[in-house]
Amino acid sequence: MTTAVAIAGMVDVSDLPRIAIDVATLESASGVLRSAGGEIGRAAVEISFRWTGALPSGLAVPGAVERLYGAMAPSAAAGVDLSTDTGGASAALHDFCAAVTTLRSRQRRLEEDIAAFRAHAAAVVGRRNDDLDVGDEPLTWRGIGDLVDANAELEDRVQRLRRDWTAAQADCADALRRLRNTDTDDGLFVGQHSVPETRYGFDFVGAAAAFDKRITDRQLELLERLGVMTVPELERWRKRHATAYEAFIDQPPDPTAVDAWWRGLGNDPHTLSAVQQALATALPVLIGNLQGVFFSARDLANRTAVRAYRSSGRNTALDRTIAKIRQQMALADATGTPLQITTLDPRGVPRAALTIGDLDIADDVTYLVPGMLTWTAGEDAVPQWVDSADRLRRTQMTYDPGSTHAVVAWIGYDAPSLLTEPSVRQAKVGGTYLAGELNGVRATRHGDPTINVVGHSYGTTVSSVALEQTRADRFVTLASAGLAVERRSDLQVPAGEMYSAEARGDRWADLGRGPSQHRTKPTAAFGTKLFDVGPDGLLLGSHTHDSNPGVLLSDGHWVSDGDGYLSPGSHSLDSVAKITVGQGNHVTRSNYDG
């Protein structure tokens, strides 16, 4: 009897599914789709606002500019929606690529295990038959219990791989089927056919919900694998899987699940385990932006990225951002200021969050959300908002010395320019990032600290988007450029815990609200408590739209010299501090809503 006959019917590599997908090409297509959709959205918005902005001097009829804007708004909205739709399709393709990568890895392991098993089985059967007496019936593998069990286990793995491969294809096909675009009579301009809600046929919300759990499961499976790698293996993986490495930022797994995984590697945020340190230093962008891990680990990861960064020599946005962060790190070390770098996304327009205090233990956490023109690469944004965070935290400590406080200078989104400020698009993207940050705090901090959100100008627009998606204990708006919600009930903030202020003489807030896609004004009728920011005794009044005007010194120190909403010694800063430590009933109320 030959060996082939002896192992006939045994599991074979030919039983494995054929996973013939060019992942690199598909990932490239996904990126092109997302990029092209984004360009369409930006172009539509730019056309709309350039049209409306080019004609006011020649229009004397009252309301003509507003009507012109209203006529163009549907085209801009359609472009933005198409951008969102293509982003959803890109996300579906990216998720499919991630699944294929995982499935191929499983397939390779199975091929190796099957080959090894068949060789072992042939050897065992051969030895057993060599020991038989002449005339005895030859043995096959089916008569050897250990081989039968091992074969059954491999067959089960093969079947599970086939099921998962079929499911991955079905999931991707189901998502892409939503891109049916059957509404061929879509009208983008007033006077033509109306634009239906599903004008491009892609139900992004539904698709995202369907993918959420699968994304979490797959990302966690990857995290589990990374958690057992050596540092050289982690570094090799990072270099070879740049797309998967950055995918955690825009397609993050559930932070509660991440927290459970992370604590399984070590449960003390102030004494990280060797594995946690290795992950943070070898995978700095991943860990530095991953909701659900300790903020001390995110700080370590982001500091590692900052220290390792080498300037391009071309004065890029990232070059300038890293220089500003390095400056603040040195200044904090020199002054003994507790600084954590809790977000650092180096892609595109760099995003960052610098925290004064310890987010891993603070009883009271406050996010400061800046407005228009606030970019990490700008001359003033990082030092100005870190100074504001420091000033606010110091004032909070005077009113609530028995608690620990952390204030986050959250420059965590691509802020609008004068041209794009009327659009809500950047607020929606930024608001989603901010909601993820707030959810990350709760997932990591099982004691659920008090969370405050303080928005300035367009930062209130961003904050309102976030607070549609998740909750905060208190919400403060300063010089709001308009909220992206219509009703107070749309915000997940407890009754009586929303406060708003606008300085007399601040005209920029009115300009920011209209004409725009975020025109809701936080008034008493809306359901907010108005508070006074004028002079009060020794406290200075605020009279302009600035948050904290001042002068930047060569060492990165910010010297405040104005009357902004967060300027030191101002009535406004004092009131914000009281509100964010739960003493809002002690602020001076006002009837002035701008």
Side-chain angles (χ1 to χ4, degrees), residues 97-119:
C97 288
V100 169
T101 299
T102 300
L103 291 170
R104 279 183 169 170
S105 177
R106 287 169 57 186
Q107 184 182 41
R108 285 192 294 271
R109 290 198 298 272
L110 262 171
E111 288 172 347
E112 293 169 358
D113 291 347
I114 289 171
F117 170 68
R118 289 176 65 87

Side-chain angles (χ1 to χ4, degrees), residues 371-372 384-385 421 456-460 478-482 501-513 542-549 563-566:
M372 184 176 67
Q384 181 181 16
W385 282 90
E421 192 278 344
H456 172 253
S457 190
Y458 192 86
T460 68
L478 303 172
S480 177
E502 187 171 322
R504 297 178 189 274
D506 182 350
R507 294 292 176 259
W508 280 97
D510 286 332
L511 291 174
R513 287 190 290 266
S542 301
H543 304 290
T544 68
H545 189 69
D546 291 328
S547 61
N548 181 10
D563 55 358
Y565 290 92
L566 296 173

Side-chain angles (χ1 to χ4, degrees), residues 48 79 253-254 257 312 370 409 482 510 572:
S48 175
D254 175 22
S312 70
D510 286 332
S572 177

